[in-house]
């Protein structure tokens, strides 16, 4: 296929002067440093937003690294809807880091793993920024940097130990592969990255690839090169399948039985009990949540398709059908994702994570279109009659207001809600907690930051509170005769997938020496 015939032109993408002499040129390494510094601040100071992150990911990770932890029903071999492959990859990071670095405490290991997540996310963000700058224009790339680092949503999603965050990383790499046509189409890479995000991360994240696959199929039909397209599809699926086989092998080892965890997740959520038993939210939940986490940028993301349509209408003489299709493809993933999950009764903030980069891209494209229109000197346009200084004041105040709102929310999160990451530090004093002591979690059990903040001789347990759902149990700590990590395959008692309370999860506080509620 002739790549020059399918590359988007300046008509739809608003291409600006490229190269190191452009006023908007930012070196990819500089972009990486900006992203990494922002992510590192998140890793060190951001509170854990979701108790699922603690009990479904940090606790199993702590079990692999230190031999004990709290176990949710999702890790029971009877249900197996959480991947030990995902957990073990992060356990490996912790193990290597503790060997190579002069770190001795579990708390340091916790922040090391978080920092590694921020580092990986920064690499993906820098790659996505580079492709945005090259494919669209460098000003949109700069906007992508600014919106990303000034948005509370990206701030805490970047370092969350959640499959949806991993799916977000892979979505950035996958979108970069599909968007970058320099040197040839990279469909196989795009499918591989989205496949990795769906398999090792969250299966439903695979939906984000559909607009790009549809574009490829349309181009294949127009160019009469269906065979080449199918070959790239097959190549990408083969690579994704290799990742899937690796995950299958790791998960089957830990569960001591054949388990296809992505299938189990889909089966439970769609064809079995489903997540609605954990609560449902109104249709506007995500609109409020995204407005809180992205303020003005969410509004601009929603406005991207109408603005692109208007831009294409104004440039009807220079815009081509191909340019129109590419622009629509770039903004489609966020709209599609928001529509799919708005229709689901059960809603959680982390479900939006995979689409956060698409939201930021949409907002950056909208901002570029608006500023291009504001900067118009065409005497026929109404905006050209507004004094330049007045336009500058409006633009600066609006953008700075959005940035300030985002930064203030991030500061609020890291200061007003940081207590759970600090309150357990005195327990590390050997004179306070002894062998056999129990940390008692009461009505605010969901604020517990994980066993990484407890000494090895102390165990967390639950006492009765007003919560009457199913709480986690304990991973089995038996050792001799059961091999490595027997808690991953031994069937725990008192587990169910219907959120039915189990009395065995509680201890009586009268006999305990430590408590926290």
């Amino acid at each position: 296929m002739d790549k020059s015939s399918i590359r988007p032109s300046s008509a739809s993408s608003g291409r600006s002067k490229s190269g190191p002499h452009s006023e908007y040129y930012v070196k990819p390494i500089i972009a990486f440093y900006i992203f990494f510094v922002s992510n590192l601040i998140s890793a060190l100071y951001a509170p854990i937003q979701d108790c699922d992150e603690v009990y479904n990911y940090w606790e199993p990770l702590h079990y692999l690294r230190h031999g004990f932890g709290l176990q949710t029903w999702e890790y029971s071999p009877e249900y197996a809807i959480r991947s030990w492959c995902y957990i073990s990859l992060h356990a490996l990071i912790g193990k290597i880091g503790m060997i190579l670095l002069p770190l001795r405490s579990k708390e340091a290991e916790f922040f090391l793993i978080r920092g590694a997540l921020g580092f990986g996310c920064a690499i993906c963000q820098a790659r996505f920024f580079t492709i945005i700058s090259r494919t669209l224009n460098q000003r949109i790339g700069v906007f992508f940097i600014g919106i990303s680092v000034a948005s509370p949503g990206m701030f805490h999603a970047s370092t969350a130990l959640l499959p949806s965050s991993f799916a977000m990383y892979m979505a950035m790499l996958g979108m970069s592969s599909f968007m970058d046509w320099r040197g040839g189409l990279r469909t196989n890479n795009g499918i591989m990255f989205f496949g990795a995000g769906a398999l090792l991360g969250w299966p439903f994240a695979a939906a984000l690839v559909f607009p790009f696959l549809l574009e490829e199929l349309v181009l294949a039909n127009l160019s009469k090169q269906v065979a080449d397209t199918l070959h790239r599809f097959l190549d990408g699926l083969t690579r994704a399948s290799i990742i899937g086989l690796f995950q299958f092998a790791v998960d089957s080892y830990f569960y001591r039985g054949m388990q296809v965890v992505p299938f189990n997740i889909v089966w439970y959520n769609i064809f079995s009990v489903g997540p609605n038993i954990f609560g449902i939210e109104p249709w506007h939940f995500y609109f409020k949540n995204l407005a809180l986490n992205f303020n003005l940028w969410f509004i601009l993301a929603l406005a991207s398709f109408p603005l692109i349509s208007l831009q294409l209408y104004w440039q009807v003489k220079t815009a081509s059908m191909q340019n129109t299709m590419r622009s629509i493809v770039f903004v489609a993933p966020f709209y599609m994702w928001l529509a799919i999950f708005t229709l689901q009764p059960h809603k959680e903030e982390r479900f939006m994570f995979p689409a956060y980069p698409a939201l930021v891209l949409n907002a950056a494209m909208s901002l570029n279109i608006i500023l291009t229109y504001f900067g118009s000197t065409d005497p026929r346009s109404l905006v050209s009659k507004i004094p330049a200084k007045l336009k500058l004041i409006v633009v600066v105040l609006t953008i700075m207001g959005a940035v300030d709102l985002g930064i203030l929310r991030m500061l609020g999160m890291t200061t007003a809600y940081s207590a759970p990451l600090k309150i357990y530090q005195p327990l590390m004093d050997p004179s306070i907690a002894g062998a056999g002591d129990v940390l008692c979690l009461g009505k605010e059990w969901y604020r517990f930051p994980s066993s990484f903040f407890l000494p090895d001789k102390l165990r967390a347990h639950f006492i009765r509170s007003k919560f009457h759902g199913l709480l986690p149990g304990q991973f089995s700590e038996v050792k001799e005769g059961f091999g490595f990590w027997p808690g991953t395959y031994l069937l725990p008692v008192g587990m169910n997938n219907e959120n039915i309370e189990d009395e065995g999860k509680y201890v009586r506080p009268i006999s305990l020496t430590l408590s926290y509620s």
Side-chain angles (χ1 to χ4, degrees), residues 20 47 63 163 191 224 246 270 278 310 334 360 414 429 489 492 516:
Y63 173 72
I191 293 175
K224 308 301 182 183
F246 170 73
I270 297 178
F278 298 103
L310 288 173
F334 172 67
V360 176
T414 55
D429 185 342
Y489 70 86
Y516 168 76

Side-chain angles (χ1 to χ4, degrees), residues 68 427 430 432-440 454-461 474 477 507-515:
F68 70 94
L427 297 179
I432 294 180
D437 285 346
V438 171
L439 175 71
C440 214
L454 302 181
D456 284 340
K457 56 191 174 183
L458 189 62
R459 299 292 186 271
H461 286 269
Q474 301 283 334
E477 296 182 34
V507 293
R508 291 187 297 173
I510 190 171
S511 61
L512 305 179
T513 59
L514 294 171
S515 65

Side-chain angles (χ1 to χ4, degrees), residues 7 61 80 111 147 187 198 223 235 270 302 315 349 363 367 501:
R7 186 177 296 279
L61 175 56
F111 288 110
I147 296 171
T187 311
S223 63
D235 185 9
I270 297 178
L302 289 177
Q315 299 175 344
E349 181 176 314
L367 183 59
E501 185 178 25

Side-chain angles (χ1 to χ4, degrees), residues 217 225-235:
L217 292 173
Q225 298 198 20
V226 177
D228 290 343
T229 301
L230 293 179
H231 179 269
R232 291 192 298 271
F233 278 23
L234 183 60
D235 185 9

